[in-house]
Amino acid sequence: MTRKSAFRFVKECLNQKLKSMAAPRHYTSSSSSSTSSAKPNLPHSSRKGRLFTGSTIGLVIAGGAYASTVDEATFGGWLFNATKVVNPLFALLDPEVAHRLAVSAAARGWVPREKRPDQQILGLEVWGRRFSNPVGLSAGFDKNAEAVEGLLGLGFGFVEVGSVTPIPQEGNPKPRIFRLRNHGAIINRCGFNSEGIVAVAKRLGAQHGKRKLDETSSTAISSGDEVKHGGKAGPGILGVNIGKNKTSEDAAADYVQGVHTLSQYADYLVINVSSPNTPGLRQLQGRKQLKDLVKKVQAARDEMQWGEEGPPPLLVKIAPDLSKQDLEDIAAVALNLRLDGLIISNTTLSRPEGVQSNPMSKETGGLSGKPLFSLSTDILKDMYILTKGKIPLIGCGGVSSGEDAYKKIRAGATLVQLYTAFAYGGPALIPQIKSSISNHAFLLPDLHLQIALDFIFKDLIVALGFQFRQSFKLIINFRFQLKLIGVVVLQILTLVD
Ligand SMILES: Cc1cc2nc3c(=O)[nH]c(=O)nc-3n(C[C@H](O)[C@H](O)[C@H](O)COP(=O)(O)O)c2cc1C
């Protein structure tokens, strides 16, 4: 049947239906029904009409039944894909306007909610908390903690808010965010635009109550479990990233204020000493400055009253533009002061060769996104070796696919974060990345074990070299031991062969 004739058929049936509805139903009278003349002229086309109505109702019922069998999760999956249609429209807007809209949408819950549970292989325990997956949203997207629920609902394993400064400040004049679209990159010189710790504490306080409720209902099922599922006050993990005011003379006092006001809401805290847009900030990464700062912040955190779960772990976020000596100094401080983790890295002031052709690359500020990937991953690898795998590292910088996330984990990251790729790719990117990571790690029920084994086979030479250098040292880290065992097993297998 051609489209035209089908359309005509449908129209005819509808007309018939409408007519038959309007017509008096005298034909149902019994005695007259026996004579053909008295019979209404139903029959042929009206049968079609009935057929059509019947099939329409049937289709609606079947459709409804199907929709009801399509679980929320599948429906949610469609919604994630639907955002791919909307996302390019954001690209037409000024970057900061687009960003503002995205945060508002997430704050109002106008974003898809991930109903599909994360695959078990993606789950991991860090700092005594259960992360349902290792992919997080890095600081800067939700600077003022406006959209924590919406963002966690997108399926991130964790969300980091901030950087938050003690006193509200405007940041640098606009425009201050620039897209390098064809390079999958952004340059920003926001300069810590922040509503300040009081506003953010109020917001987190209000959410805290709500999240606490969610937790009460969800933990009832998992009681008896040693590891706490999710964060301090809900199913997702919340990081709070603290900064300093531009004009503040006493940086440590600023971070201490941040800790005093915000740490009660945080599953982990971050001292950000690596933003390139606050004058003098990066100097706090120097050995002595960092040591003094971390000591003061740790003391401020520890002197507060904590319940049985203890204070939130403290991390430092570092820049990718550091010399070997700088890295060694930071590693030494981190090990000596038993820092709970490092985030590697913030944006770069450098302009890798590929992006120099882009006129936007001349803009002042920190570069993020794809061109940052190798620089930040190299630093991550160095830091993993320098800290002997003893400190959880969060790999950040240029992650735009599951492959990238996997590479970060192989380079030593326990968790990964992203920002720029999310700004370009939107919500649909998150399930994509998670499923791609789990596809990489299909052999074993533990992602990190899988990656460690992967490391043995793929990077055998590097591993051997490293083990050789470390041969006289006591190797206490499990992953190192695993690599060592792997190497030995491999050698035995080769001999047997
Ligand atoms: C517009 C913008 C604002 C940012 N603001 C912050 C911030 O306030 N604090 C912070 O620690 N990092 C901030 N970052 C850095 C990101 O958290 C991340 O470390 C960096 O962008 C590298 O990751 P990516 O390549 O996935 O974007 C910001 C990044 C961008 C693009």
Side-chain angles (χ1 to χ4, degrees), residues 99 136-141 143 160-164 176-178 184-193 241-243 270-277 317-318 343-348 366-373 376 395-400 408 417-423:
H99 173 248
L137 178 63
S138 71
F141 189 87
K143 285 179 183 273
E160 190 175 309
V161 298
S163 298
V164 195
R176 53 194 178 184
I177 302 179
F178 307 90
I186 288 176
I187 290 177
N188 93 84
R189 50 168 179 267
C190 290
F192 285 168
N193 45 317
N241 179 311
I242 300 169
V270 183
I271 308 178
N272 178 14
V273 283
S274 48
S275 167
N277 305 308
K317 182 165 177 177
I318 65 170
I343 301 184
I344 304 165
S345 71
N346 214 311
T347 55
T348 177
L367 175 78
S368 58
K370 285 182 184 172
L372 173 62
F373 182 80
S376 56
C396 179
V399 173
S400 63
K408 292 271 184 201
Q417 281 182 325
L418 60 140
Y419 179 148
T420 303
F422 175 61

Side-chain angles (χ1 to χ4, degrees), residues 191-204:
F192 285 168
N193 45 317
S194 170
E195 289 182 18
I197 51 175
V198 175
V200 170
K202 272 189 195 156
R203 221 167 260 146
L204 287 178

Side-chain angles (χ1 to χ4, degrees), residues 269-271 273 290 294 314-318 339 341-344:
L269 284 168
V270 183
I271 308 178
V273 283
L290 189 64
V294 172
L314 185 69
L315 287 76
V316 169
K317 182 165 177 177
I318 65 170
L339 210 58
L342 290 166
I343 301 184
I344 304 165

